[in-house]
Amino acid sequence: MLDALFSPKSIAVIGASNRPLTIGYRITQNLKDIGFKGPIYPVHPKDPEINSLKAYPSITQVPGEVDLAHIVVKNTMVPAMMEECGKKGVKFVIINTAGFKEIGGDGIELEKQIKEIAKKYNIRIFGPNCQGVMNSDTVNPTYANFTFTKIKPGHISILAQSGGVGEVINQRLYQLDVGIRMYASNGNAADISIPEILEFWGNDEKTRVIVLHVESLSNPREFMRVCKAITNRKPILGMKTGRTAMGARAVMSHTGSLMKADTSIEAIFDKCGIISFKNQEEICQAAIAFASQPIPKGPNVGILTNTGGPAIIATDECIEGGLSLPDLSEGTKKHLKANLFPEATVSNPVDVLATAGPKEFAVAVESMLKDENIDSLLVNFVTPFFVDCAGVAKEMVRIAQAATKPIVINTMTDKTQWKETMDILKAGGLPTYDLAENAAKALVAMTKYGEYQRKQDEPVASFADTDKKAARQIIEQAKKRCCEFLSLGEALGVLYAYKIPATKFTIADTAEDIMTSADYVGYPMVLKVDSADIIHKTDKGGVALNIMDKKTLKEKVDSFQKQFKGCQFKYMAQEYLTKGREVIIGASHVEGLGHLVMFGLGGVFVEVLKDVSFKVAPLSEHEARGMIQSIKGFAILKGTRGEKGVDLNRLAEFLMRVSQLLTDCPEIRELDLNPIMLYPEKDKCKVVDVRIRI
Amino acid sequence: MLDALFSPKSIAVIGASNRPLTIGYRITQNLKDIGFKGPIYPVHPKDPEINSLKAYPSITQVPGEVDLAHIVVKNTMVPAMMEECGKKGVKFVIINTAGFKEIGGDGIELEKQIKEIAKKYNIRIFGPNCQGVMNSDTVNPTYANFTFTKIKPGHISILAQSGGVGEVINQRLYQLDVGIRMYASNGNAADISIPEILEFWGNDEKTRVIVLHVESLSNPREFMRVCKAITNRKPILGMKTGRTAMGARAVMSHTGSLMKADTSIEAIFDKCGIISFKNQEEICQAAIAFASQPIPKGPNVGILTNTGGPAIIATDECIEGGLSLPDLSEGTKKHLKANLFPEATVSNPVDVLATAGPKEFAVAVESMLKDENIDSLLVNFVTPFFVDCAGVAKEMVRIAQAATKPIVINTMTDKTQWKETMDILKAGGLPTYDLAENAAKALVAMTKYGEYQRKQDEPVASFADTDKKAARQIIEQAKKRCCEFLSLGEALGVLYAYKIPATKFTIADTAEDIMTSADYVGYPMVLKVDSADIIHKTDKGGVALNIMDKKTLKEKVDSFQKQFKGCQFKYMAQEYLTKGREVIIGASHVEGLGHLVMFGLGGVFVEVLKDVSFKVAPLSEHEARGMIQSIKGFAILKGTRGEKGVDLNRLAEFLMRVSQLLTDCPEIRELDLNPIMLYPEKDKCKVVDVRIRI
């Protein structure tokens, strides 16, 4: 429990100072400014008074209990101060001081040392190298932080790995006149971690939405576990920065170049229902709507406007964000026709005209919200000087307060001249925007979250006909041999155990043997030379396609024998598949996370167009289908220009079976089914080549 | 010349009113509020005084000259008022009244009528159904508009087809404390058009950048002519709304579905150097930088920061926008190393650390601007309370004023607490942003404009070896026959005249004839049945590929003869091409614009992935190459996985030759070269099928 961190009853500042331009002074001033209710104990070796507060030479000499102590002394002095905190029985320390893990060398040692002291005394550490925390609570507000942004009470909590980014988001919300609930930027996170803070806020009733900034995740699995539990009942809006960083780990073997720096964090966000943003403005704007509005039950948005142009912008943005603008029901249209001005447009988007007053807005808002075709409402409200705008605002608030569908309002106005109108909307809890794009984007984000909430309880796919034991046996044996890659036979054995069909094949050392064993493969057949010496075997004539009978096979075997005389090689015969649609399923193990599954069309679609999708295993059926549908070339699989599509159910099943295999065999580091040949006929679909690394 | 519209010496308001909540009152009040220097003449049938101004029963009774008259009376009364204006010698009228062309029927008639009156008296009309104009000129400010947004002097001029959108942009800039120069929203544009206003602003010295909103263009050719001349010396930032509108005209024949609603306007913007935006916030933010900073000479941005996280965001955004973060030169790095704090990062992005003061910032800004590797500078400046931030601002302004490279500043601050710092930056003309994304996006837009400026003088490609006469003759003959589509022979003749090579082919009615004429085509050859009765000819065995000799041809001809007995058909023999890379070049005529040329890879790349590029003809070589490079599948043409690429010079030549053909034969409505088969060898590249509609 982090109560004594975010709502401490008393705070000490070790390293407090009387010089106003120091962190040690600033923290005491921030606590005074916010109106911290408990005692503030500056600690300073000599000064008897700091910033008009009684100071103490050591924390051990502070009279009362200390819930939380800031430590802002030089890094090398921190351990000694921690020892004193321990003796005093301090519950939490915020170590603002930098010069720990982040500087390497001695810093790493120092960080280890303070962690040991903390363990000894049961102190929890926030930081080091961090800003601190804030809590706008109206009963006991806290500003245990050295930054300067002002806060006011609200329902958005902000957690940022980068203090700079957190500060910007906090500042932007303040500029937008929006309150926040709690704030934390925990720097090196030596002890108290991002998941722990998230979990605490998940249980904080006044936090309605969490805004999260990350650059990396130290424990993805714990992060996912915590976030999944939270997004179940409360939205998390996430932003990952460093998208274009060059040093991204190549997590996929064959398809390594596809893995952008942020692929795994994006996939993690997606997996645990975190709505992802790429822009600080958009994350702030969306948070405002999440903090006050119910989540839409579906993608159908109604747009209501009193001016033309901005409604077009709202429409563009909604459609591009995946929302729909459905027709209104006949009843609604009739009601609008009867009650709005004759020139008004009564189809979606509804234009009540600039002359519309409180009555017209009330009619439109109320009947659109009631319409079962509509899941959410976007109102474009330019404030004409000849209209009772305050009256319009009052009506919208009145109706919204009884509504179960979200409303966002784009108020096109001068906020100084129309202050009364804006105040009414604000007091009524209606989120207001300056630009139609922002209002629409907020609805898009809320709709995405609603969709996640409705789908998240779907179970992970599981097939009863798989033979886990057989697969595990193959892998255990390979492990004993210390092999990195499974042999083709082993890999096929693993697929076989999970009922993932592959083309038949056989390998033989001699011409005689291949003639015998090839019967098993059957015709049509491909014959290949299999040798480490012969690369580019197609170019060198080492591949014979579409062999239709034993006679031709004999001819080809003879010709290989002549052609590759002197080379060390084997004969490989494989079932020949007619041209179908090639796809790739890949998987790679990501440290601390589990497996990332990749799907894409084969060849240039993957290599040039990067048209792939990633998800964290294990996959539910919904997720497997989502992966297939989310690639741009999906229509190719569905069938185009009269060509029949492939069996998409079978493809989804392949993904789910791969997912199950990965869960059962976590030793798999990489898996590549490349290509898989798909057809309209379920039973023809087969894996052509497979590679498994353990 | 629109001087008397934007800087009138006197203004009448016909339909002025004493009721404050009317347009007729509002305009008089707006003029008073802005401090209009000339006389304001309210015209009202009865009231002797309007809003404390002497009123006149008719404009004819106004004592002085009237440069500009607002008309806000009922639509049916407008013609009578126009007559009076004519008699009075009014130069310009702004008709705010609605109920003209936009309502259809009588409105269209009414609009025609006022245009005739205007012509008779030589009055210029602004509107009808419009807001009006504003001019922040310090000598004679004008607010001939009924809206409420306040303005202050600046260098951004705003022209909006939708008054609502214009108003939002104007309001947003005011909110951002940024001045504007002139504003216009001309509604129905019965007379004074968007190009005319743009041209006027192109010559207005104080307009440094134009922000333009359009939903459609009535005269694209004139628009392009004017804009090209302006963007030569002054940037236009454009936003087209209605991107997702369903009713988009299908301008391409075969590829009609590709043509999104905004394709032609996007292509027009691109052609005349208008920087295109999809978001009101971004267009406003970019305009701020354009209004004060020089245009970057190249894509290399230097980032300077005093905090980590936001610099990462700036980097992501710059890279994703196509900019580069080059290494700094060794000299710069050495200089920084010697003059910044030891822990500072001296590579790009440079981190001077939060403790950096005026001296450190001055060193960094100055030496980065001097570095020849750098074309523009983005400064992330969080304002630490322990730093002399005003001093930092002063240093930045001092250096920027002598610089020839643009600087944008992301000020992460509380503008109230750091007002002095902000005021210094503002007074120094440095554009400041609240978010790193916005600062980066502004630089991206400026860099794009710089690139356009450097390329725009490139001449249109022209080949001397084309036979315009031959092509024109074919087309003239087809026109005489009233044919919509050229026959295949004619179409090939046209290509031949422009030295665009196509596969050889011949068509014959009888088996005997085809055996003779096929010699011309040569081997390998494709034989096809050519008949309106036989569709899906491939499925029905009506296509024989890769015929290698006359004997086989005879066999195939015989077999066709048997198989299609009873059908009406011809034999078509065509040169057989081995598999190359298929591409498509298409063109379609757009009314009032000319030809839009399309390029894409064939098949699913065009149909499913919509991976195509469009440009307005005629094409320069740079534009042709740009079309090829801008598709996502470009790497496929360049060559992937060891496969040789195709002859890109030849492909660019095909595009330029098509462009020249379109210029010479404007009757061509649609042209489809689909597919063109490309190879690494220049002379093998050929058009396989062609369709031309006139």
Side-chain angles (χ1 to χ4, degrees), chain B residues 196-267:
Chain B
E196 191 174 358
I197 298 165
L198 288 174
E199 197 157 37
F200 182 70
W201 288 352
N203 295 318
D204 172 50
E205 215 178 281
K206 287 193 179 154
T207 294
R208 292 192 194 150
V209 51
I210 297 168
V211 171
L212 171 69
H213 164 259
V214 296
E215 285 168 356
S216 60
L217 293 175
S218 59
N219 187 348
R221 210 186 301 262
E222 172 67 0
F223 176 84
M224 285 207 297
R225 185 191 65 75
V226 168
C227 291
K228 269 193 168 180
I230 296 171
T231 56
N232 195 359
R233 53 187 198 282
K234 167 179 309 192
I236 302 177
L237 316 186
M239 179 165 171
K240 142 86 179 154
T241 57
R243 298 190 295 271
T244 58
M246 309 308 263
R249 211 159 61 97
V251 276
M252 286 273 163
S253 52
H254 167 243
T255 47
S257 62
L258 302 180
M259 187 69 78
K260 282 192 308 180
D262 63 345
T263 305
S264 70
I265 290 193
E266 277 298 311

Side-chain angles (χ1 to χ4, degrees), chain A residues 397-412:
Chain A
V397 166
R398 178 181 65 78
I399 297 162
Q401 274 165 353
T404 55
K405 297 177 184 176
I407 308 178
V408 295
I409 303 185
N410 175 34
T411 48
M412 298 168 285

Side-chain angles (χ1 to χ4, degrees), chain B residues 649-669:
Chain B
N649 292 328
R650 185 61 162 171
L651 175 55
E653 192 189 321
F654 281 0
L655 279 164
M656 292 184 279
R657 285 182 182 273
V658 165
S659 157
Q660 191 171 347
L661 165 64
L662 297 168
T663 306
D664 293 346
C665 304
E667 302 92 335
I668 295 177
R669 300 283 105 179

